[in-house]
Amino acid sequence: MASFLPNIAAVVSINGCISNTAAALTCGRLILPGLPFNLNKISATSSGVYDVKEALEDPLDPAYQESRIPLEKACAHILFIIGEDDRHWKSSVYADIAVKHLTKHGKTNFTLLSYPNAGHRIDPPYSPFFSAALDPVLGVPVLGGGQLKAHAVAQIESWKKILEFLHLHLG
């Protein structure tokens, strides 16, 4: 939203991708296609949970350039929160690309918080930990990653940082 709408002051991205994923995003006349999943790169565990970490197509592939979010257009302050054990997709890689891209464009309006052994769903503190959850796009249970204690710490610490960030940039 901050790349397309002028009045967005602050954005929190939790384990986000640098591209729009799955379904198309429409904002006025603009349509950002969804970066697809390669179903051939999905594998099933013995418990019937799917591992989709490698399935999202490469957002740097020129074939999917139109799916990329033009982060450099955002004037908003951006807080990236990353679980380093995200099994849903390569959040750490995407955050690194985003930071390099923003820096290349002379932007300093971002902060990156990275949590070792935290998974994909970094929800508010004391939310249940799910190492796997039903994916609303794929309609199957997928690995989320993370280790219980480290993930809980990430939920508590990131929530404090989110509130500080929003208070700072939204008043």
Side-chain angles (χ1 to χ4, degrees), residues 144-156:
Q147 297 173 14
L148 178 59
K149 184 176 180 180
H151 195 84
V153 168
Q155 287 180 330
I156 293 167

Side-chain angles (χ1 to χ4, degrees), residues 81 125 127:
I81 297 174
S127 295

Side-chain angles (χ1 to χ4, degrees), residues 5-84:
L5 301 175
N7 296 326
I8 306 295
V11 174
V12 177
S13 172
I14 301 175
N15 288 321
C17 183
I18 59 170
S19 293
N20 179 46
T21 60
L25 174 71
T26 304
C27 182
R29 292 183 182 172
L30 175 80
I31 298 174
L32 207 61
L35 182 67
F37 283 89
N38 181 335
L39 299 180
N40 293 325
K41 293 183 179 178
I42 295 175
S43 60
T45 66
S46 59
S47 63
V49 176
Y50 291 85
D51 185 346
V52 299
K53 184 169 184 172
E54 300 296 327
L56 193 61
E57 291 290 1
D58 180 0
L60 297 179
D61 184 330
Y64 303 112
Q65 183 176 358
E66 291 183 14
S67 296
R68 289 277 306 271
I69 299 167
L71 297 172
E72 71 281 359
K73 291 183 179 182
C75 293
H77 297 275
I78 305 169
L79 175 61
F80 296 102
I81 297 174
I82 301 303
E84 293 178 16

Side-chain angles (χ1 to χ4, degrees), residues 111-162:
T111 302
L112 172 64
L113 300 177
S114 191
Y115 295 96
N117 299 315
H120 186 70
R121 292 183 52 129
I122 302 177
D123 293 322
Y126 313 110
S127 295
F129 171 69
F130 297 101
S131 60
L134 184 65
D135 183 89
V137 174
L138 299 173
V140 296
V142 298
L143 293 173
Q147 297 173 14
L148 178 59
K149 184 176 180 180
H151 195 84
V153 168
Q155 287 180 330
I156 293 167
E157 288 183 9
S158 68
W159 185 251
K160 290 176 190 173
K161 297 291 186 179
I162 290 168

